[in-house]
């Protein structure tokens, strides 16, 4: 069974949504398997721009079955809002969307906890989360006793469970609040609201693990849509400045239930430069005119939170690490057009840490903080490239830049993107 997955190789927002939308043509099923409404995936089709947080980017093709699998954490209000938004845009969401009964549910207390926990007790740099309750919901999933899965909402005892958890959470929140505690959460109100959400979602909720295992047995073509980026992976990313799920390649089977050996192709998505939203080190960040140039040309403002993204040069140390970590077969180099008109470009080829040259990505955040990028400088290109449709027609310096990235990361480049539209894409065959 040809299962393909699309994985971000940086700190998220690599333009995964665009590639998933393109690859969807060759697939029957598109699966979101991790993260939640912290993700913001952009698809441009028919001259319109759509932003999706929870619904798979395959939703725009009528032949596709979209699946939100067990590893995703679901805020029902966001999900229903997205369904309504798509319906208003004449994108039908009905039987073409199924949602796992094992997926965990985000509740109002998770938002409160996200707000109260995102400050480090020692006064260090905050994680800078998206404030979507993601970390607290995953924490409850691992802790088990205060967790609610989508399937629980249709079982006897749901009301009692909400009452018990709300009482416990009110105690926790009161203890966490410094200064004047917020109004306690009202269990009856939460129950009424979530019972309504449950009713509206019911027709979509199934055992998606069983569905996907059947799909594997019957050789259906599945596309897995990664969220976030490999450097935000809870285990292998820049901990603690990460998200709370496995956003690198290893997360595909954990979050979907499909064994890893059925994922036969991994497409790694890279921006032609680096961006990061939120806290944590980003060695190649340019807090100067170059960073601003990239931010302006790339419209680098968060899809979800609208925060300006931190921008910098391409970091080949990080990308080589994540391409290997996520088992990448082929790269898609995105937003190459953004780098036009810069006289020269820099690529980080190594770090210097305490006077030592290092090419392995550091495992500890303190070492990454001290990493000074070692740059290679290459010539830029003057011409705008947004109209170019064949790799051979790119300016020679743009081609050389892509080739150099490929060489440093150690993987072939299969796709180059020069604009948000489906058409602004080149498939590299050599
Ligand atoms: P995702 O989270 O990985 O799906 O990425 P986002 O949607 O958060 O951010 C990518 C942004 O880049 C979106 O606004 C896309 O429309 C846009 N985009 C995608 N590919 C290109 C490209 O090649 N060039 C430019 N200029 N923009 C692009
Ligand atoms: P997509 O799928 C970029 C970042 C947040 C923060 C950290 C933890 O669009 O690429 P969280 O709310 O998950 O606890 O925040 O992770 N982050 C993302 N950054 N793109 C994303 O998703 C992100 N999802 C989370 O900014 O630094
Ligand atoms: Mg995004």
């Amino acid at each position: 069974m040809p299962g393909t997955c699309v994985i971000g190789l940086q700190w998220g927002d690599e333009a995964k949504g665009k590639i998933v939308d393109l690859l969807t043509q060759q697939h029957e099923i598109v699966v979101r398997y991790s993260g939640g409404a912290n993700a913001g995936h952009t698809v441009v089709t028919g001259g319109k721009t759509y932003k999706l947080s929870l619904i798979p980017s395959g939703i725009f093709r009528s032949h596709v079955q979209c699946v939100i699998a067990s590893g995703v954490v679901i805020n029902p209000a966001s999900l229903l809002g997205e369904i309504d938004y798509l319906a208003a845009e004449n994108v039908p969401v009905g039987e073409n969307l199924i949602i796992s009964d094992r997926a965990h549910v985000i509740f109002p207390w998770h938002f409160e906890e996200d707000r109260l926990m995102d400050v480090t007790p020692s006064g260090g740099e905050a994680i800078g989360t998206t404030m979507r309750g993601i970390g607290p919901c995953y924490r409850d999933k691992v802790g088990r006793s205060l967790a609610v899965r989508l399937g629980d909402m249709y079982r006897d005892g749901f009301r009692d469970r909400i009452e018990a958890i709300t009482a416990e959470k009110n105690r926790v929140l009161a203890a966490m609040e410094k200064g004047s505690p917020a109004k306690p959460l009202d269990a009856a109100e939460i129950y009424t609201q979530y019972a309504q959400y449950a009713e509206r979602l019911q027709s979509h909720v199934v055992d998606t693990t069983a569905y996907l295992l059947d799909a594997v047995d019957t050789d259906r073509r599945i596309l897995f849509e990664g969220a976030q980026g490999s450097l935000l992976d809870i285990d292998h990313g820049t901990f603690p400045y990460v998200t709370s799920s496995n956003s690198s390649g290893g997360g595909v089977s954990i979050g979907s239930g499909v064994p890893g050996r059925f994922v036969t192709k991994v497409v790694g998505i890279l921006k032609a430069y680096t961006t990061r939203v939120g806290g944590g080190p980003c060695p190649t960040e340019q807090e100067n005119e170059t960073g601003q140039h990239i931010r302006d040309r790339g419209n680098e403002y968060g899809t979800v939170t609208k925060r300006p993204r931190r921008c910098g040069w391409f970091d080949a140390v990080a990308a080589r690490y994540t391409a290997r970590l996520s088992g990448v077969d082929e790269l898609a180099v995105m937003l190459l057009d953004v780098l036009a008109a810069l006289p020269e470009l820099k690529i980080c080829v190594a770090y210097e840490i305490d006077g030592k040259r290092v090419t392995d990505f550091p495992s500890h955040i303190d070492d990454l903080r001290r990493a000074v990028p070692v740059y290679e400088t290459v010539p830029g290109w003057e011409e705008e490239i947004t109209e170019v449709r064949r790799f051979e027609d790119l300016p020679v310096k743009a081609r050389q830049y892509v080739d150099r990235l490929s060489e440093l990361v150690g993987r072939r480049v299969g796709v180059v993107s020069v604009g948000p539209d489906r058409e602004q894409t080149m498939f590299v065959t050599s």
Side-chain angles (χ1 to χ4, degrees):
M1 186 221 48
T4 302
C5 75
V6 167
I7 302 280
L9 297 185
Q10 293 156 320
W11 279 287
D13 301 326
E14 299 90 347
K16 298 174 291 293
K18 170 172 169 169
I19 294 297
V20 169
D21 171 62
L22 281 171
L23 293 180
T24 295
Q25 288 181 82
Q26 300 137 33
H27 293 86
E28 299 161 83
I29 300 169
V30 179
V31 187
R32 258 295 297 273
Y33 57 86
S34 72
N38 48 352
H41 295 182
T42 312
V43 175
V44 180
T45 161
K48 276 192 151 177
T49 300
Y50 299 91
K51 306 273 181 194
L52 299 171
S53 281
L54 280 162
I55 295 185
S57 301
I59 199 75
F60 302 99
R61 313 245 188 200
S62 54
H63 70 278
V64 163
Q65 178 64 55
C66 288
V67 179
I68 300 179
S70 52
V72 175
V73 286
I74 293 182
N75 172 9
S78 300
L79 180 55
L80 287 164
E82 226 170 295
I83 292 173
D84 291 343
Y85 151 72
L86 288 171
E89 297 284 343
N90 287 321
V91 180
V93 182
E95 286 174 5
N96 55 343
L97 176 70
I98 55 172
I99 311 166
S100 173
D101 58 353
R102 292 180 172 89
H104 283 250
V105 182
I106 297 185
F107 284 89
W109 46 80
H110 293 132
F111 288 91
E112 289 300 304
E113 288 170 353
D114 214 353
R115 182 174 64 78
L116 293 164
M117 284 292 281
D118 196 38
V119 254
T120 38
S122 53
E125 187 184 9
I127 296 171
T129 77
T130 58
M131 295 288 159
R132 296 299 188 270
I134 305 294
C137 184
Y138 278 120
R139 194 161 59 229
D140 279 341
K141 170 178 172 172
V142 175
R144 294 153 295 164
S145 43
L146 300 177
V148 177
R149 307 206 293 185
L150 216 45
D152 298 332
M153 294 169 66
Y154 305 99
R155 303 284 165 151
D156 291 343
F158 177 48
R159 180 195 286 265
D160 293 345
R161 193 151 171 71
I162 292 294
E163 277 170 9
I165 297 175
T166 308
E168 181 63 23
K169 289 290 184 179
N170 276 332
R171 278 192 287 277
V172 172
L173 289 171
M176 286 168 80
E177 286 273 10
K178 294 183 188 77
S180 53
K183 203 169 128 248
L185 296 166
D186 181 333
E189 213 173 89
I190 294 172
Y191 171 75
T192 309
Q193 199 173 47
Y194 276 70
Q196 283 167 9
Y197 295 150
E199 198 182 318
R200 276 201 64 196
L201 288 174
Q202 190 158 18
S203 61
H204 301 280
V205 178
V206 301
D207 178 351
T208 61
T209 307
Y211 174 85
L212 290 172
L213 292 176
D214 285 346
V216 167
D217 284 348
T218 51
D219 272 348
R220 298 185 70 197
R221 284 163 294 149
I222 309 179
L223 180 62
F224 297 91
E225 174 172 1
Q228 288 77 54
S230 302
L231 295 171
L232 290 171
D233 186 285
I234 181 76
D235 287 297
H236 305 288
T238 51
F239 190 86
Y241 298 93
V242 291
T243 191
S244 299
S245 58
N246 286 111
S247 48
S248 66
V252 179
S253 53
I254 300 286
S256 68
V258 174
R261 72 190 180 91
F262 295 110
V263 179
T264 47
K265 185 171 178 186
V266 182
V267 182
I269 316 296
L270 284 168
K271 270 178 182 163
Y273 47 92
T274 298
T275 65
R276 168 158 217 183
V277 207
C282 178
T284 61
E285 182 175 9
Q286 298 296 302
E287 290 177 279
N288 54 27
E289 271 177 21
T290 305
Q292 193 56 43
H293 177 92
I294 294 174
R295 189 173 305 111
D296 291 343
R297 284 192 53 113
N299 191 24
E300 292 294 357
Y301 294 88
T303 307
V304 175
T305 57
K306 313 282 180 266
R307 289 178 289 180
R309 293 177 183 148
R310 302 158 60 192
C311 300
W313 297 119
F314 187 83
D315 185 340
V317 178
R320 180 172 169 275
Y321 165 61
T322 52
R324 294 166 71 213
L325 175 71
S326 289
V328 165
D329 295 297
E330 174 180 307
L331 301 170
V333 175
M334 312 301 287
L335 293 107
L336 185 66
D337 52 302
V338 172
L339 295 182
L342 286 165
E344 53 184 34
L345 306 172
K346 291 184 189 219
I347 305 171
C348 170
V349 295
Y351 298 146
E352 215 175 86
I353 304 177
D354 303 335
K356 260 204 192 142
R357 192 183 162 105
V358 171
T359 50
D360 283 332
F361 193 73
S363 56
H364 200 286
I365 201 78
D366 290 348
D367 296 335
L368 189 64
R369 277 196 199 287
R370 294 200 315 285
V372 179
V374 177
Y375 287 116
E376 180 176 293
T377 304
V378 297
W381 59 93
E382 286 295 316
E383 307 91 314
E384 291 298 335
I385 56 173
T386 51
E387 304 296 325
V388 179
R389 296 292 174 268
R390 292 186 332 162
F391 188 67
E392 309 80 81
D393 296 338
L394 281 171
V396 67
K397 285 170 182 147
R399 265 184 285 149
Q400 282 169 347
Y401 182 76
V402 172
D403 287 344
R404 185 67 182 133
L405 299 196
S406 168
E407 192 174 38
L408 288 165
V409 175
R411 295 292 187 276
R412 71 174 292 271
V413 172
V415 177
V416 174
S417 171
V418 291
D421 246 82
R422 282 175 178 170
E423 291 70 35
Q424 293 172 299
T425 316
M426 290 162 238
F427 295 92
V428 187
T429 44
S430 64

